[in-house]
Amino acid sequence: MSYVDDHNLFNEFPEHTDRIEYLWKQDADFATIAEEYHSLDKRIRGLQMSGIPTSDYYFEELKKRRCLLKDQLYHKIALPYSAR
């Protein structure tokens, strides 16, 4: 079995750990998106590690959705910093 990257938000944005924790507790929209992101990342990693045959189209769609969610989350994470 080969190594599979963990795209957990805390791994992706370690410099924003405090902000992520704060938003997860205080912003229901952020929490909903973050939960979907983490669930999707777990599913993608599970498929990568299991070797279960999956169509390239399906796998790429999952990764595109994860990327879209990550962009939405980053916008919420970084917005206050970019407004300075």
Side-chain angles (χ1 to χ4, degrees):
M1 179 167 51
S2 61
Y3 176 77
V4 177
D5 286 335
D6 182 352
H7 291 273
N8 178 297
L9 284 178
F10 298 104
N11 292 341
E12 293 293 298
F13 308 116
E15 68 279 11
H16 298 295
T17 299
D18 292 341
R19 179 80 176 141
I20 293 168
E21 289 175 351
Y22 172 81
L23 287 170
W24 212 313
K25 293 175 185 172
Q26 301 298 322
D27 184 328
D29 185 48
F30 180 91
T32 299
I33 297 168
E35 291 295 336
E36 182 182 353
Y37 174 86
H38 279 272
S39 176
L40 190 55
D41 183 54
K42 185 177 179 179
R43 185 181 328 157
I44 291 168
R45 284 186 291 118
L47 288 171
Q48 290 173 319
M49 293 187 313
S50 71
I52 296 172
T54 304
S55 75
D56 289 343
Y57 176 80
Y58 176 71
F59 192 66
E60 289 303 314
E61 289 301 309
L62 292 177
K63 289 180 4 180
K64 286 178 189 176
R65 177 70 182 157
R66 179 179 64 187
C67 186
L68 175 68
L69 294 171
K70 182 178 170 182
D71 286 346
Q72 291 174 356
L73 291 165
Y74 183 74
H75 177 74
K76 287 181 165 287
I77 293 166
L79 185 62
Y81 298 113
S82 64
R84 290 183 187 170

